[in-house]
Amino acid sequence: MKYTVLTIFPEITDAYFSASIMARAVKAGFVEYRSINIRDFAFDKHKKTDDAPYGGGAGMLMLPEPLGLALEAAGVSKKTCPETMRQSPVRKVPGKKVIYLSPSGRPFTQKTAEELVQNEELILICGRYEGIDQRIIDLYVDEEVSIGDYVLSSGEAAALVLIDSTYRLLDRVISAESLREESFAGGLLEYPQYTRPEVYDTIKVPEVLLSGHHENIRRWRLQKRLEKTFALRQELIRRGEEAGLFDTETIKMIEEMRKNHERDQGN
Ligand code: ADE
């Protein structure tokens, strides 16, 4: 997987690629990274990359010319003909996606991460200020992605969320077992975990985890995942049911939990 990040602060994203598991993934060749500094494509002597919006309003917008040139330098061609505004048939580069991180984009989820990791290259545009000129979106962007219903001061933090949640799904970056058991895998949140010492601040590790009884541990973990998901994210359980994600054991446990919940509500 190759990540190309277009930004006016490459030092933010560069740092991420030079530490911890990501640095190892880059060294091993599972991940490729380049940052492109949009400011390098500014024309004036002050290297200006923003200006006030037409029609008035608060804040500044990123200028289209430096961003367009930075995209062309990244090897991206226009997807849309500027005269007719029709999609260009030559643009469809399989495996390459241009993404603009924006609070008005498609909500980003684990499923989006799983879809995006199928690409060979993700080209991520990080906006600053109030955003970017719409013509860049019309001409170059394949998808606008939002990481949540809140507004960040910059796209770099959002790009790093997208990068982190996708590269870890690549083969050999994280073990398949960890991926299988983590939150959202199988449509449920993760079970609680404990490590040494056995007693911390008077709280003891649940007995079942010390028992060495694998079947009981498996059942306990499933029960805990269900309880937590039921308490915090009931919509995930409904979605999992609709998508047929759960096996008969899980379905029975959900029914039991609902019965207990209704009984408790009745009291
Ligand atoms: N830029 C600013 N806020 C954002 C958000 N919520 N998601 C993605 N990019 C953003």
Side-chain angles (χ1 to χ4, degrees), residues 100-104 127 145-156 158-159:
Y100 168 47
L101 284 312
S102 138
S104 49
V145 170
S146 165
I147 62 153
D149 289 342
Y150 39 80
V151 180
L152 303 168
S153 60
S154 73
E156 285 79 5

Side-chain angles (χ1 to χ4, degrees), residues 40 66 99 114 117 144 151 164 192 217 221 242:
D40 291 344
I99 294 172
E114 283 160 14
V117 77
E144 277 185 77
V151 180
D164 190 285
I217 293 172
R221 286 180 166 165
E242 280 161 21

Side-chain angles (χ1 to χ4, degrees), residues 73-84:
V76 178
S77 50
K78 295 185 182 96
K79 61 168 184 170
T80 308
C81 165
E83 280 84 34
T84 60

